Amino acid sequence: MTARRRPPRDAGAASIEFVFLGVLVLVPLLYLVIAAFEVQRNAFAVTQAAREAGRAFGTADDLAAAEERARYAMELALRDQGLEPAGTELRYGPVGGGCADAGAATLEPGADFEVCVVRVFRVPAIPSYLDGGNNAVTGRYVVHVDEFRSAG
């Protein structure tokens, strides 16, 4: 009678493989979640900044004060989300026409115009030669100046 050989035991190899594959899958997944949160944080920040800048502009007494108030409100809203306002643009334009027309912002009673906040941001841990720093988010808010606003 011949003796049967037992196959070698794994003795814990499954747990080592599970940990190795778990880390191999978890690290990229964690990075994707962090990158998505960064994009979302920037999108929320510019939306809030556009809304606050539009409200500040629409309630000002004159155009010079309106521009100053809108810029300050934009910066405050961005800092509220933990972002630096450097490099963020505040633009105005006609409703539905984009924000390229600098003369669209007015305080005339009944006027409508858009306030846009444009911010370029970096996705974390991506080298600049891969994304080129061209990740921009735009927040828009339509300002309606009150019809019963005093003209002077």
Side-chain angles (χ1 to χ4, degrees):
M1 197 168 195
T2 60
R4 287 188 173 179
R5 292 185 138 206
R6 288 185 169 186
R9 296 183 58 200
D10 283 338
S15 62
I16 292 171
E17 291 168 3
F18 178 76
V19 169
F20 177 73
L21 289 176
V23 168
L24 197 64
V25 170
L26 185 64
V27 169
L29 183 64
L30 185 62
Y31 169 75
L32 287 175
V33 168
I34 290 172
F37 283 160
E38 184 67 20
V39 171
Q40 194 65 36
R41 178 174 75 139
N42 278 279
F44 282 152
V46 296
T47 302
Q48 179 186 357
R51 182 177 56 244
E52 297 303 327
R55 289 176 178 171
F57 193 101
T59 57
D61 293 330
D62 59 21
L63 283 176
E67 177 67 32
E68 185 177 326
R69 288 179 64 182
R71 186 154 305 282
Y72 180 73
M74 177 196 73
E75 290 175 1
L76 195 61
L78 289 172
R79 285 196 173 103
D80 184 45
Q81 296 294 327
L83 299 173
E84 284 298 317
T88 304
E89 295 181 36
L90 180 62
R91 301 178 185 166
Y92 307 98
V95 176
C99 287
D101 184 16
T106 182
L107 291 175
E108 293 296 319
D112 290 329
F113 61 92
E114 277 187 1
V115 174
C116 297
V117 175
V118 181
R119 183 168 199 285
V120 177
F121 68 98
R122 298 276 324 265
V123 177
I126 298 288
S128 61
Y129 64 86
L130 287 179
D131 74 352
N134 293 329
N135 305 310
V137 288
T138 303
R140 293 182 193 286
Y141 181 76
V142 175
V143 176
H144 175 75
V145 181
D146 189 19
E147 288 93 356
F148 302 109
R149 174 189 178 90
S150 64

